[in-house]
Amino acid sequence: FYNHALCATAKLKQAFKDPAIIPALCAVMSGSQNPQIRQSAAVMLRLRVKKHWKKISPNDRESLKAVVLQAFMQETEHSVQYSISQLCAVMVKHETPDRWPALLQLLNESTKSSNPEDRQVGLLLLNKVMDSNPEPFKPHYCQLLQLFGTVLQDHENPTALYYCILTLTAITAYTGTDEMMRSIIPSLIVALKHLIKADQNQASEAMEVFNELMESEVSIIVPHVTDIVRFFLEVGSDTTLSDSLRVKALSCIAFLIKLKSKTVIKQKLLNPILQAVFPVLIAAPPPGEQDPEDEEDDTGDGTDNENTKHCAAQIIDTMALHMAPEKLFQQLMPLTQACLVSENPYQRKGAIMCLAVLAEGCADHIRTKMLSSLLQTVCQSLSDSSQVVRSAGLFALGQFSEHLQPEVSKYCAELMPLLLGYLSSLNEAKVGHVTKAFYALENFMENLGADIEPYLPTLMETMLSALNNTDNLKIKELAVSAIGAIANAAKELLVPYFSPVIESLKGFLTTTTEEMRSLQTQSLDTLSVLARTIGKDVFSPLAAECVQLGLNLTDTIDDPDLRRCTYVTQCFRFLSTHLAGLNTNAYIDEKEDACDALGEIAFTLLKLLEVVLPCFVETVRTEPERLVVMGVLESMNGVIKSCEGEVFRNPSRLKEISYVIRDVLKKKMACQDGGGDEAEDEDQQAEYDAMLQEFAGEGIPLVASAVPADSFAPFLNDLLPLIMGKTKSTGTVAERSFSLGTIGEILQALVTAPGGQGLAGRLSNRLLPVLVAGVRDSDPEVRNNSVFGLGCLAQAAGPIVLTDYPMMLSVFSNLLVKESDARVIDNLCGALCRMILSNVEAVPLEQVVPALAARLPLKEDMEENKTVFSCLALLYTHSPSLNTAVLLMKQFAQNHCAEFQAAVRPLPAEQQAKLSAVVTAS
């Protein structure tokens, strides 16, 4: 039995259904002489517990808990200890610590043991169970922080330090601004220095604690910012350390600058950071090696941050995004200018890379004060004697083209000949270098519009030559992508070149060899661009054939990226381009996956929807890849948003789409079957499952806005409990935010849907308590979505919820007093305006209007301006006895004096005097 249980996968799956498997595996885990078999038993127990805990009887659960702890205490092999600790972690997800006192006792005794090895093992177990489910341990946090403070002093036990810091990372988000947590920081830095000496890989992983601290409770580290930054710089600059460790340290600096740039400036850390980071940026690679971005397989987009040089560039990029350009350029330009004239090509390259990463964050400063001089510098680098400098120049030109529009396009006459000449002289063997040239060309061309016309003959000759005369598939892929960029600019000007381009793309899409995948994906993307830009008269005759080419690929090639691109890029964009009717000569029968010639039939959009929508629904149900299903759901949502009621012209379509959304929310699809390789990352699986449900949930308000409310009501009644179930406090922040946001969007859709007011009114008793509870949530995004939902409920249900106005206003009033999040405040303003718009007589304007005006203008959520302006217009024309207009003017003049004066200044003197008298009157 043991041999079958441990070795035969098929029989093991069958054995898992037998309750006797648990005691059998426990016996193996505790009694086998072979550590590998003991470890295998622990792993299999974890699989059984993870998937079938509820099927285990209470007595067997208690017995299992005792056996697992006993086996852990007796075990001497680290690999087995590790697997048993993972088993305990899965059990803790089901059994909270207070229901497993023996576990707490073991943790307490082992972590405080005088034996260093016992402390290591205890901290290993503590790390696994805490990482699995940290929140239930909250009552013990104070005691744990005291323990961590002691362990961090144990510099001779690096393994204990490692597990201690990992556990600290797991609970950081739950500790708040605990003073004890703040006091640990100096000890944490010293402990990490000792861990670096012992094991750099463990130290790199442990440094994640700083990212967690900065992301969840940045105020804890503010008093220690100088010490932390100097530690990061010390590690990031040390060339004797591993790249992964240095990358981690440098990435932490970038993250800190993003969150606390003012603190960095205030504590005079800008110059020390640049002085340490700039040498990393301009460093030459070891003899005989190249920087990753100069190697042949580099993509040329500058997005790789897995090496120290890119991290140094990322720090400067982050500074540009979050610091005043004047201060940054004052410190940075002397370093850059010195390197530009250096004889060392890597110093020249580093200087050009520095200019490139400044383009986005300092765009306004560069555009208005130094574009000409910096462009000249970049253009000069394109003729540098060193290819690494020329490559950096191409990347910089691409960055300038992307971020410094429209001013950079004015240099078209100078730059386009330079780029075209560069392309004509490139050595195809240097694919990485060619990639950068295409990157620069694409970004520059895409914004030219009709100005591209003089260069079209040369451009298209170059691209068609690459498609027809080059064997290198990467070059072909780059050319196909560039044609898409040219099409975005040229539009109908590309018609003379359409025929040879489309023939090449069709040829790429009919090949089934593995090496063609990336080129095929890019071809589909460019095909969709042509569909949008070339004009429907030119593209329409090929529309059905192109759709069928894409669908054929999904039938014959098992490639998730290709399927996703087919559905998202081709089908969605194609449908979005044609709401106006389409002529084609083929009808696609989705049941037989064939294209039958039925003569010249004029389809309507309706017929095309009849083909594609069943394909979407079937794919969502049967496709095993989560990412592909996400793409299809996104496409389906896009079609519903674009085509609205046309989607549901077929009476059965509302039921099909509603049910497929329901079944995704119930996790009934093929991609949600809970199977798959156990080696897959569980957190990633959970993240994908959550994203799937969000894509499905986004479809509900789209359907609600596209059909009469009474038609959708039965389906909405089935869907709402699945959404509302995620609003509970036991759910994650992401679940609560998603569900409450979806409820708000459904109510917003019912505002304009035929019969929407009646349906919203019938739902109000169910939704009102949920939304009010959400307003009191600890997370600002959840509060924000709840406030939005309450406002939409008032607007959608109208007079049906008038009796709830006093309670809603009280909730908003209490929130206004203590709310600090700008987005929540903006939505509070929007919600109050919706209530006024719905029934102005039911709102006490004397109290509400001053509170509203004091918080205008909106700071972040500008989409609410439409609601606010509509409300202000209503108030202005409302009964003069309320004197609302005067009240508004006084509030604006008092709270926004400069803006008010600027608005009044253009008025005639007589009107200015009247306004002045009004706003100053008591």
Side-chain angles (χ1 to χ4, degrees), residues 473-494:
L473 293 180
K474 181 62 178 179
I475 300 293
K476 289 181 184 288
E477 182 185 338
L478 292 170
V480 170
S481 178
I483 289 171
I486 294 170
N488 273 325
K491 297 183 170 56
E492 291 86 353
L493 295 173
L494 201 65

Side-chain angles (χ1 to χ4, degrees), residues 577-620:
T577 305
H578 301 277
L579 300 177
L582 180 68
N583 291 325
T584 186
N585 60 2
Y587 177 78
I588 303 169
D589 185 344
E590 67 278 4
K591 294 180 181 178
E592 298 182 1
D593 293 321
C595 185
D596 299 324
L598 299 178
E600 290 294 327
I601 300 175
F603 277 77
T604 65
L605 177 62
L606 183 61
K607 286 293 184 183
L608 194 56
L609 290 171
E610 286 297 294
V611 172
V612 176
L613 286 169
C615 183
F616 282 168
V617 171
E618 178 67 15
T619 304
V620 171

Side-chain angles (χ1 to χ4, degrees), residues 208-227:
E208 184 64 28
V209 68
F210 286 111
N211 278 337
E212 192 66 34
L213 280 166
M214 288 186 284
E215 190 166 17
S216 58
E217 291 297 344
V218 70
S219 61
I220 289 176
I221 68 168
V222 168
H224 306 286
V225 161
T226 299
D227 291 336

Side-chain angles (χ1 to χ4, degrees), residues 881-900:
S881 62
L882 290 173
N883 217 10
T884 308
V886 172
L887 186 58
L888 279 171
M889 292 295 182
K890 286 184 176 182
Q891 288 293 327
F892 289 144
Q894 178 180 343
N895 296 302
H896 310 286
C897 182
E899 294 90 338
F900 184 81

